[in-house]
Coordinates of all heavy atoms in Angstrom, one line a residue:
M1 N 10.3 13.3 11.1 CA 9.9 14.4 10.4 C 9.8 13.9 8.9 O 10.6 13.1 8.4 CB 10.9 15.6 10.4 CG 10.5 16.7 9.4 SD 11.5 18.3 9.6 CE 13.1 17.7 10.0
I2 N 8.8 14.3 8.1 CA 8.5 13.9 6.7 C 9.4 14.9 5.9 O 9.3 16.1 5.9 CB 7.1 14.0 6.3 CG1 6.3 12.9 7.2 CG2 6.9 13.8 4.9 CD1 4.7 13.1 6.9
V3 N 10.2 14.3 5.0 CA 11.1 15.0 4.1 C 10.3 15.4 2.9 O 10.3 16.5 2.3 CB 12.3 14.2 3.7 CG1 13.1 15.0 2.7 CG2 13.2 14.0 5.0
T4 N 9.5 14.4 2.3 CA 8.9 14.8 1.1 C 7.7 13.8 1.0 O 7.6 12.7 1.7 CB 9.6 14.5 -0.2 OG1 8.9 15.0 -1.2 CG2 10.0 13.1 -0.3
E5 N 6.7 14.2 0.4 CA 5.3 13.3 0.2 C 5.0 13.3 -1.2 O 4.9 14.5 -1.9 CB 4.3 13.9 1.0 CG 3.0 13.1 1.1 CD 2.0 13.7 2.0 OE1 1.4 14.7 1.6 OE2 1.9 13.2 3.0
I6 N 4.7 12.1 -1.7 CA 4.4 11.9 -3.2 C 3.0 11.3 -3.2 O 2.8 10.2 -2.6 CB 5.4 11.0 -3.9 CG1 6.8 11.6 -3.8 CG2 4.9 10.8 -5.3 CD1 7.9 10.6 -4.2
K7 N 2.1 12.0 -3.8 CA 0.7 11.5 -3.8 C 0.2 11.2 -5.2 O 0.6 11.8 -6.2 CB -0.3 12.6 -3.2 CG -0.1 12.8 -1.7 CD -1.3 13.7 -1.3 CE -1.1 14.0 0.2 NZ -2.3 14.7 0.8
S8 N -0.6 10.0 -5.3 CA -1.3 9.7 -6.6 C -2.7 9.2 -6.1 O -3.0 9.2 -5.0 CB -0.4 8.6 -7.4 OG -0.6 7.4 -6.6
N9 N -3.3 8.9 -7.2 CA -4.7 8.5 -6.9 C -4.7 7.1 -6.2 O -5.7 6.8 -5.4 CB -5.6 8.2 -8.3 CG -5.9 9.6 -8.9 OD1 -5.9 10.6 -8.2 ND2 -6.1 9.6 -10.2
L10 N -3.7 6.3 -6.4 CA -3.6 5.0 -5.8 C -2.9 4.9 -4.4 O -3.0 4.0 -3.6 CB -3.0 4.1 -6.8 CG -3.7 3.8 -8.0 CD1 -3.0 2.9 -9.1 CD2 -5.0 3.2 -7.8
A11 N -1.9 5.9 -4.3 CA -1.1 5.8 -3.1 C -0.5 7.0 -2.8 O -0.5 8.0 -3.4 CB 0.1 4.8 -3.3
T12 N 0.0 7.1 -1.4 CA 0.6 8.2 -0.9 C 1.9 7.7 -0.2 O 2.0 6.7 0.5 CB -0.2 8.9 0.2 OG1 -1.3 9.5 -0.2 CG2 0.7 10.1 0.8
V13 N 3.1 8.2 -0.7 CA 4.4 7.8 -0.2 C 5.0 9.0 0.5 O 5.1 10.0 0.0 CB 5.3 7.3 -1.5 CG1 6.7 7.1 -0.9 CG2 4.7 6.3 -2.1
R14 N 5.4 8.6 1.8 CA 6.0 9.7 2.6 C 7.4 9.2 2.9 O 7.7 8.1 3.4 CB 5.2 9.9 3.9 CG 3.9 10.4 3.6 CD 3.2 10.7 4.9 NE 1.9 11.2 4.8 CZ 0.6 10.6 4.7 NH1 0.7 9.3 5.0 NH2 -0.4 11.1 4.5
I15 N 8.4 10.1 2.6 CA 9.8 9.7 2.9 C 10.3 10.5 4.2 O 10.1 11.7 4.2 CB 10.7 10.1 1.7 CG1 10.2 9.3 0.4 CG2 12.1 9.8 2.0 CD1 10.9 9.7 -0.8
H16 N 10.7 9.8 5.1 CA 11.1 10.4 6.4 C 12.7 10.5 6.4 O 13.4 9.8 5.8 CB 10.6 9.4 7.6 CG 9.2 9.2 7.6 ND1 8.4 10.1 8.4 CD2 8.3 8.5 6.9 CE1 7.1 9.7 8.3 NE2 7.2 8.8 7.3
D17 N 13.1 11.3 7.3 CA 14.5 11.5 7.4 C 15.1 10.8 8.6 O 16.2 11.1 9.1 CB 14.8 13.0 7.6 CG 14.4 13.7 8.8 OD1 13.6 13.1 9.6 OD2 14.9 14.8 9.1
E18 N 14.3 9.9 9.2 CA 14.7 9.1 10.4 C 15.9 8.2 10.0 O 15.9 7.6 8.9 CB 13.6 8.4 11.1 CG 12.5 9.3 11.6 CD 11.3 8.6 11.9 OE1 11.4 7.3 12.2 OE2 10.3 9.2 12.2
Y19 N 16.8 7.9 10.9 CA 17.9 7.1 10.7 C 17.4 5.6 10.6 O 16.6 5.2 11.4 CB 19.0 7.2 11.8 CG 20.0 6.2 11.6 CD1 21.1 6.4 10.7 CD2 20.1 5.1 12.5 CE1 22.0 5.4 10.6 CE2 21.1 4.2 12.4 CZ 22.1 4.4 11.5 OH 23.0 3.3 11.4
C20 N 17.9 4.9 9.7 CA 17.7 3.4 9.6 C 19.0 2.8 9.6 O 19.8 3.0 8.8 CB 16.8 3.1 8.5 SG 16.5 1.3 8.4
G21 N 19.2 1.9 10.5 CA 20.6 1.2 10.6 C 20.7 0.3 9.4 O 19.9 0.2 8.4
H22 N 21.8 -0.6 9.4 CA 21.9 -1.6 8.4 C 20.8 -2.4 8.2 O 20.3 -3.1 9.2 CB 23.2 -2.3 8.6 CG 24.5 -1.5 8.7 ND1 25.0 -0.9 7.6 CD2 25.3 -1.0 9.7 CE1 26.0 -0.2 7.8 NE2 26.2 -0.2 9.1
P23 N 20.3 -2.6 7.1 CA 19.1 -3.6 7.0 C 19.5 -4.9 7.2 O 20.5 -5.5 6.8 CB 18.7 -3.4 5.5 CG 19.9 -3.0 4.8 CD 20.7 -2.1 5.8
T24 N 18.7 -5.6 8.0 CA 18.9 -7.1 8.4 C 17.8 -7.8 7.7 O 16.7 -7.2 7.2 CB 18.7 -7.2 9.9 OG1 17.4 -6.9 10.4 CG2 19.8 -6.4 10.7
Q25 N 17.9 -9.1 7.8 CA 16.9 -9.9 7.1 C 15.6 -9.8 7.7 O 14.5 -9.7 7.0 CB 17.3 -11.4 7.1 CG 16.4 -12.4 6.3 CD 16.3 -12.0 4.8 OE1 17.3 -11.7 4.2 NE2 15.1 -12.1 4.4
G26 N 15.5 -9.6 9.0 CA 14.2 -9.4 9.7 C 13.5 -8.1 9.2 O 12.3 -8.1 9.0
R27 N 14.3 -7.0 9.1 CA 13.8 -5.7 8.6 C 13.3 -5.8 7.1 O 12.2 -5.3 6.8 CB 14.8 -4.5 8.7 CG 15.0 -4.1 10.2 CD 16.0 -3.0 10.1 NE 16.4 -2.6 11.5 CZ 17.5 -1.9 11.7 NH1 18.2 -1.5 10.8 NH2 17.7 -1.6 13.1
I28 N 14.0 -6.5 6.3 CA 13.7 -6.7 4.9 C 12.5 -7.5 4.9 O 11.5 -7.1 4.1 CB 14.8 -7.2 4.0 CG1 16.0 -6.2 4.0 CG2 14.4 -7.7 2.7 CD1 17.2 -6.9 3.5
S29 N 12.3 -8.6 5.6 CA 11.1 -9.3 5.7 C 9.9 -8.6 6.1 O 8.7 -8.7 5.6 CB 11.3 -10.6 6.5 OG 12.3 -11.5 6.0
H30 N 10.2 -7.8 7.1 CA 9.1 -7.0 7.6 C 8.4 -5.9 6.6 O 7.3 -5.8 6.3 CB 9.5 -6.3 8.9 CG 8.4 -5.5 9.6 ND1 8.4 -4.1 9.7 CD2 7.1 -5.9 10.1 CE1 7.3 -3.8 10.4 NE2 6.6 -4.8 10.5
M31 N 9.4 -5.4 6.0 CA 9.0 -4.3 4.9 C 8.3 -5.1 3.7 O 7.2 -4.6 3.2 CB 10.3 -3.7 4.4 CG 10.9 -2.7 5.3 SD 9.8 -1.4 5.8 CE 9.4 -0.5 4.2
N32 N 8.9 -6.2 3.4 CA 8.2 -7.0 2.3 C 6.8 -7.3 2.8 O 5.9 -7.3 1.9 CB 8.9 -8.3 2.0 CG 8.4 -9.2 0.9 OD1 8.1 -8.5 -0.1 ND2 8.4 -10.5 1.1
Q33 N 6.6 -7.7 4.0 CA 5.2 -8.1 4.5 C 4.3 -6.9 4.4 O 3.1 -7.0 4.0 CB 5.2 -8.7 5.9 CG 3.9 -9.2 6.3 CD 3.5 -10.5 5.5 OE1 4.3 -11.4 5.2 NE2 2.4 -10.5 5.1
I34 N 4.7 -5.7 4.7 CA 4.0 -4.4 4.7 C 3.5 -4.2 3.3 O 2.4 -3.9 3.0 CB 4.7 -3.3 5.2 CG1 4.9 -3.4 6.7 CG2 4.0 -2.1 5.0 CD1 5.8 -2.5 7.4
V35 N 4.4 -4.2 2.5 CA 4.1 -4.0 0.9 C 3.2 -5.1 0.4 O 2.2 -4.7 -0.3 CB 5.4 -3.9 0.1 CG1 5.2 -3.9 -1.4 CG2 6.3 -2.7 0.6
S36 N 3.4 -6.3 0.7 CA 2.5 -7.3 0.3 C 1.1 -7.3 0.8 O 0.0 -7.3 0.1 CB 3.0 -8.8 0.7 OG 4.2 -9.1 0.1
N37 N 1.0 -6.9 2.1 CA -0.3 -6.6 2.6 C -1.0 -5.5 2.0 O -2.3 -5.6 1.8 CB -0.3 -6.4 4.2 CG 0.1 -7.7 4.8 OD1 0.1 -8.8 4.3 ND2 0.5 -7.5 6.1
A38 N -0.3 -4.4 1.7 CA -0.9 -3.2 1.1 C -1.4 -3.6 -0.3 O -2.5 -3.2 -0.8 CB 0.1 -2.1 1.0
Y39 N -0.7 -4.4 -1.0 CA -1.0 -4.9 -2.5 C -2.3 -5.6 -2.4 O -3.2 -5.5 -3.1 CB 0.2 -5.5 -3.0 CG -0.2 -6.2 -4.4 CD1 -0.2 -5.3 -5.5 CD2 -0.5 -7.5 -4.6 CE1 -0.5 -5.7 -6.8 CE2 -0.7 -8.0 -5.8 CZ -0.8 -7.2 -6.9 OH -1.1 -7.6 -8.2
K40 N -2.4 -6.6 -1.4 CA -3.5 -7.4 -1.3 C -4.8 -6.6 -0.9 O -5.8 -6.9 -1.5 CB -3.2 -8.6 -0.3 CG -2.3 -9.6 -0.5 CD -2.0 -10.4 0.6 CE -0.9 -11.4 0.4 NZ -0.5 -12.2 1.5
R41 N -4.6 -5.6 0.0 CA -5.8 -4.8 0.3 C -6.2 -4.1 -0.9 O -7.5 -3.9 -1.1 CB -5.4 -4.0 1.5 CG -5.4 -4.5 2.8 CD -5.4 -3.4 3.9 NE -4.2 -2.6 3.7 CZ -3.0 -2.7 4.2 NH1 -2.8 -3.9 5.0 NH2 -2.0 -1.8 4.1
R42 N -5.3 -3.6 -1.7 CA -5.7 -2.8 -2.9 C -6.4 -3.7 -3.9 O -7.5 -3.4 -4.5 CB -4.5 -2.2 -3.5 CG -4.8 -1.3 -4.7 CD -3.7 -0.5 -5.3 NE -2.4 -0.7 -4.7 CZ -1.2 -0.6 -5.4 NH1 -1.2 -0.2 -6.6 NH2 -0.1 -1.0 -4.7
I43 N -6.0 -5.0 -4.1 CA -6.6 -5.9 -5.0 C -7.9 -6.3 -4.6 O -8.9 -6.2 -5.3 CB -5.7 -7.2 -5.3 CG1 -4.3 -6.7 -6.0 CG2 -6.3 -8.2 -6.0 CD1 -4.4 -6.1 -7.3
I44 N -8.1 -6.6 -3.3 CA -9.4 -7.0 -2.7 C -10.4 -5.8 -2.9 O -11.5 -6.1 -3.3 CB -9.2 -7.5 -1.4 CG1 -8.5 -8.8 -1.2 CG2 -10.6 -7.6 -0.6 CD1 -8.1 -9.2 0.1
S45 N -9.9 -4.6 -2.6 CA -10.7 -3.5 -2.8 C -11.2 -3.3 -4.1 O -12.4 -2.8 -4.5 CB -10.0 -2.2 -2.2 OG -10.8 -1.0 -2.4
S46 N -10.3 -3.4 -5.0 CA -10.6 -3.3 -6.4 C -11.6 -4.3 -6.9 O -12.6 -4.0 -7.6 CB -9.3 -3.2 -7.3 OG -9.6 -3.2 -8.7
E47 N -11.4 -5.5 -6.5 CA -12.2 -6.6 -6.9 C -13.7 -6.4 -6.3 O -14.7 -6.6 -6.9 CB -11.7 -7.9 -6.5 CG -10.5 -8.3 -7.3 CD -9.8 -9.6 -6.7 OE1 -10.3 -10.1 -5.7 OE2 -9.0 -10.1 -7.4
T48 N -13.8 -5.9 -5.0 CA -15.1 -5.7 -4.4 C -15.8 -4.5 -5.2 O -17.0 -4.7 -5.4 CB -14.9 -5.3 -3.0 OG1 -14.1 -6.4 -2.3 CG2 -16.2 -5.0 -2.3
Q49 N -15.1 -3.5 -5.5 CA -15.7 -2.4 -6.3 C -16.2 -2.9 -7.6 O -17.3 -2.5 -8.1 CB -14.7 -1.3 -6.4 CG -15.4 0.0 -7.1 CD -16.4 0.5 -6.2 OE1 -16.4 0.7 -5.0 NE2 -17.6 0.8 -6.8
N50 N -15.5 -3.7 -8.3 CA -15.9 -4.3 -9.6 C -17.1 -5.1 -9.5 O -18.0 -5.0 -10.4 CB -14.7 -5.0 -10.2 CG -13.6 -4.3 -10.7 OD1 -13.7 -3.1 -10.9 ND2 -12.5 -4.9 -10.9
I51 N -17.2 -5.9 -8.4 CA -18.5 -6.6 -8.1 C -19.7 -5.8 -8.0 O -20.7 -6.0 -8.5 CB -18.3 -7.7 -7.0 CG1 -17.3 -8.8 -7.5 CG2 -19.6 -8.3 -6.6 CD1 -16.8 -9.6 -6.3
K52 N -19.5 -4.7 -7.2 CA -20.5 -3.7 -6.9 C -20.9 -3.0 -8.2 O -22.2 -2.9 -8.5 CB -20.1 -2.7 -5.8 CG -19.9 -3.3 -4.5 CD -19.5 -2.1 -3.5 CE -19.4 -2.8 -2.1 NZ -18.9 -1.6 -1.2
D53 N -20.0 -2.8 -9.0 CA -20.4 -2.0 -10.3 C -21.1 -3.0 -11.2 O -22.1 -2.6 -11.9 CB -19.0 -1.6 -11.0 CG -18.4 -0.5 -10.2 OD1 -19.0 0.3 -9.4 OD2 -17.2 -0.1 -10.4
Q54 N -20.7 -4.2 -11.3 CA -21.5 -5.2 -12.1 C -22.8 -5.4 -11.6 O -23.7 -5.5 -12.4 CB -20.6 -6.6 -12.2 CG -19.3 -6.4 -12.9 CD -18.6 -7.8 -12.8 OE1 -18.9 -8.7 -12.1 NE2 -17.4 -7.7 -13.5
N55 N -23.0 -5.5 -10.3 CA -24.3 -5.7 -9.7 C -25.2 -4.5 -10.0 O -26.4 -4.6 -10.3 CB -24.3 -5.9 -8.2 CG -23.8 -7.3 -7.8 OD1 -23.8 -8.2 -8.7 ND2 -23.2 -7.4 -6.7
N56 N -24.7 -3.2 -10.1 CA -25.3 -2.0 -10.4 C -25.9 -2.0 -11.7 O -26.9 -1.5 -12.1 CB -24.7 -0.8 -10.0 CG -24.6 -0.6 -8.6 OD1 -25.4 -1.0 -7.7 ND2 -23.6 0.1 -8.1
V57 N -25.0 -2.5 -12.7 CA -25.4 -2.6 -14.1 C -26.5 -3.6 -14.4 O -27.3 -3.4 -15.2 CB -24.0 -2.8 -14.9 CG1 -24.5 -3.2 -16.5 CG2 -23.1 -1.7 -14.8
L58 N -26.4 -4.7 -13.7 CA -27.4 -5.8 -13.9 C -28.8 -5.5 -13.4 O -29.8 -6.0 -13.8 CB -26.8 -7.1 -13.3 CG -25.7 -7.6 -14.0 CD1 -25.2 -8.9 -13.1 CD2 -25.9 -8.1 -15.4
Q59 N -28.9 -4.5 -12.5 CA -30.2 -4.1 -11.9 C -30.9 -3.3 -12.7 O -30.9 -2.6 -13.5 CB -30.0 -3.6 -10.5 CG -29.4 -4.6 -9.6 CD -29.3 -3.9 -8.1 OE1 -29.3 -2.8 -8.0 NE2 -28.9 -4.9 -7.2

């Protein structure tokens, strides 16, 4: 069940009330990878949009 949801133009954060045991190195690494992948997707998307915008201006 979702306890709260925080939305912005860049992201949506949903906080769940599910139990999470003691964090292990594997869990921490997995969460780090999720955040890193999301950041990379956002940067690539932003760069792609900037290139499209520049091409539209040049035409």
Side-chain angles (χ1 to χ4, degrees):
M1 175 172 36
I2 296 175
V3 175
T4 189
E5 183 175 81
I6 303 165
K7 290 186 177 186
S8 73
N9 291 338
L10 297 177
T12 300
V13 176
R14 293 183 182 102
I15 300 172
H16 297 264
D17 70 346
E18 297 174 11
Y19 172 77
C20 179
H22 297 289
T24 62
Q25 186 60 39
R27 287 182 186 163
I28 293 170
S29 294
H30 185 243
M31 290 300 296
N32 185 38
Q33 190 63 45
I34 290 170
V35 172
S36 295
N37 290 343
Y39 178 76
K40 289 175 189 175
R41 284 192 302 272
R42 187 175 2 154
I43 294 298
I44 290 170
S45 176
S46 176
E47 289 173 352
T48 302
Q49 186 61 44
N50 288 340
I51 290 170
K52 288 179 183 178
D53 292 343
Q54 289 173 357
N55 288 339
N56 287 337
V57 169
L58 294 175
Q59 292 178 352

